Amino acid sequence: MIDIKQINFRIPSEMDKQIDSVSSEFGLSRSEVIRQALTIYFNIIGDIDKLTNIRDLSKEEIQVSHENTRDVHFINLDSFNISIVIANSSSGGIGPKEHDNVSVNGDVVGSIIARTALIKMLSIHGEPTTIMLNFSNEMEETGNQIIKGVRTECKKIGIKNIVIGHSEENIKTCQTGVSITAIGVIDKEKQKTRKTQIKAGDKIYCIGNPVVGENILNTDLPQLEDIKLLQRNKSIKKIYPIGHQGIKKELTNQLKDKKHRIKWKKTNIDLNRSAGPSSAVIAITKPNIDKQKIKKRTRIQTTEIAEIT
């Protein structure tokens, strides 16, 4: 027979309401709800003797550090061995408005800008969970068109949380402007296991072709699904999305602290041309990688452009 003891304790009013809600929904007494909650809690934490001082535990400071990789920002929650990852992008003068330099439907703008921010995160093994949007235009109808394209990209990799921030409702605008922020997480332990050193003999491939402006609309771009598939190939060490700096400058910046040199090959790829918004990505691979496997993964132009020496 279980020995039952009556106790009294204080709880926040909001928690009291939650107890009532659970009690009503499942037909349980308030006492039974509390008993079950405590039972679950003790099962989670295991042996209660291990909790030497709950009061001190609740006051433990969370250790936070920050770092940047290219234009991706990491908020490292060192106490929990995870990082919050933030990647962003923006677009201006491209869209459906009167004086846009590149005329294109709003949903296309949304698709391209979402893809750009998300590729940055996927390339460093981040797991995106949230997209945030801010507009320099009115929500109806420019903003809503762009949101439609953003949702299309998010659906490809299962992102459901799209946060709509500010829009410009006071001033009539004649060009399209939008910014996007992708937020996600990285398990730091998993990240450590994925780290591989770049060595002499490694190959460098360009996936896609550097183009910008109206040419984007007539080019096969690396897609989110392509990046996820490439990350599964254990022979691929690093993936770098290429932006407005071009391939040569991007790779030079990435490898400047690695004490390696790049031996460029003769190709039809313009190494100095802007590739914004990520119309090309670079893959650094092991020397013996099968080029055909990369092509099968992406189904778009793949060109060996250099070797690490």
Side-chain angles (χ1 to χ4, degrees):
M1 183 175 178
I2 299 175
D3 183 21
I4 301 294
K5 183 177 180 180
Q6 183 174 339
I7 59 173
N8 295 314
F9 55 90
R10 296 178 181 178
I11 58 174
S13 297
E14 186 60 34
M15 187 179 292
D16 187 60
K17 292 177 183 178
Q18 290 176 323
I19 292 172
D20 281 338
S21 176
V22 174
S23 174
S24 174
E25 182 176 354
F26 295 100
L28 301 171
S29 68
R30 285 171 54 88
S31 296
E32 184 61 27
V33 171
I34 295 169
R35 275 199 299 272
Q36 290 197 25
L38 288 172
T39 299
I40 293 170
Y41 174 72
F42 290 140
N43 285 335
I44 290 173
I45 65 171
D47 188 352
I48 194 168
D49 290 337
K50 294 178 182 178
L51 290 181
T52 57
N53 196 325
I54 288 180
R55 188 179 297 276
D56 287 343
L57 181 67
S58 66
K59 291 181 179 180
E60 180 184 359
E61 291 185 6
I62 299 174
Q63 300 298 318
V64 178
S65 61
H66 299 261
E67 61 181 304
N68 292 306
T69 299
R70 196 170 177 261
D71 51 357
V72 178
H73 184 69
F74 295 81
I75 303 174
N76 302 316
L77 304 180
D78 300 319
S79 304
F80 302 100
N81 221 18
I82 62 172
S83 295
I84 298 171
V85 193
I86 302 171
N88 55 35
S89 188
S90 62
S91 175
I94 303 172
K97 299 194 78 66
E98 179 183 2
H99 293 294
D100 281 327
N101 292 323
V102 178
S103 181
V104 65
N105 290 339
D107 61 328
V108 176
V109 177
S111 178
I112 290 175
I113 195 172
R115 172 191 153 279
T116 303
L118 290 169
I119 279 180
K120 291 178 184 179
M121 183 169 296
L122 293 175
S123 68
I124 48 93
H125 294 282
E127 298 178 12
T129 62
T130 303
I131 286 289
M132 298 185 68
L133 288 166
N134 284 291
F135 302 98
S136 297
N137 309 112
E138 79 291 343
M139 185 60 67
E140 184 61 50
E141 62 186 66
T142 304
N144 286 331
Q145 287 182 14
I146 293 172
I147 292 168
K148 183 179 178 181
V150 171
R151 291 191 189 281
T152 298
E153 293 301 310
C154 288
K155 188 175 181 180
K156 292 178 181 179
I157 55 174
I159 299 175
K160 297 179 180 179
N161 191 25
I162 300 176
V163 180
I164 309 303
H166 293 281
S167 59
E168 180 53 75
E169 306 298 339
N170 296 317
I171 304 296
K172 184 177 180 180
T173 59
C174 58
Q175 285 188 304
T176 304
V178 57
S179 70
I180 188 167
T181 300
I183 302 172
V185 295
I186 284 182
D187 184 319
K188 296 180 74 173
E189 282 300 319
K190 289 183 180 179
Q191 190 180 29
K192 287 178 184 177
T193 63
R194 291 179 177 133
K195 283 188 176 180
T196 51
Q197 289 187 343
I198 295 173
K199 299 178 180 179
D202 287 346
K203 306 291 186 182
I204 302 177
Y205 289 90
C206 175
I207 300 162
N209 192 29
V211 294
V212 71
E214 292 183 355
N215 293 324
I216 288 285
L217 306 177
N218 303 311
T219 302
D220 290 330
L221 303 175
Q223 299 298 315
L224 302 180
E225 306 96 311
D226 295 327
I227 305 303
K228 292 188 72 107
L229 285 170
L230 289 168
Q231 292 287 32
R232 295 176 189 171
N233 189 325
K234 294 181 179 179
S235 292
I236 295 178
K237 294 185 173 183
K238 298 285 184 181
I239 294 176
Y240 299 121
I242 304 301
H244 69 276
Q245 296 186 98
I247 292 171
K248 183 169 282 189
K249 191 169 184 179
E250 180 68 45
L251 274 176
T252 300
N253 288 341
Q254 291 289 350
L255 299 177
K256 64 182 178 181
D257 297 327
K258 303 290 192 301
K259 297 180 180 179
H260 290 299
R261 300 182 67 181
I262 302 171
K263 182 180 179 181
W264 300 101
K265 295 179 177 290
K266 289 184 178 180
T267 69
N268 294 325
I269 302 291
D270 187 341
L271 300 175
N272 297 305
R273 189 178 189 181
S274 169
S278 299
S279 58
V281 298
I282 296 304
I284 299 180
T285 76
K286 294 179 180 178
N288 59 350
I289 192 169
D290 185 346
K291 179 181 173 181
Q292 295 303 317
K293 285 187 177 181
I294 300 180
K295 286 187 174 181
K296 288 178 181 179
R297 293 278 190 182
T298 62
R299 304 176 302 280
I300 61 175
Q301 178 179 335
T302 300
T303 308
E304 184 179 345
I305 60 171
E307 181 179 332
I308 303 292
T309 61

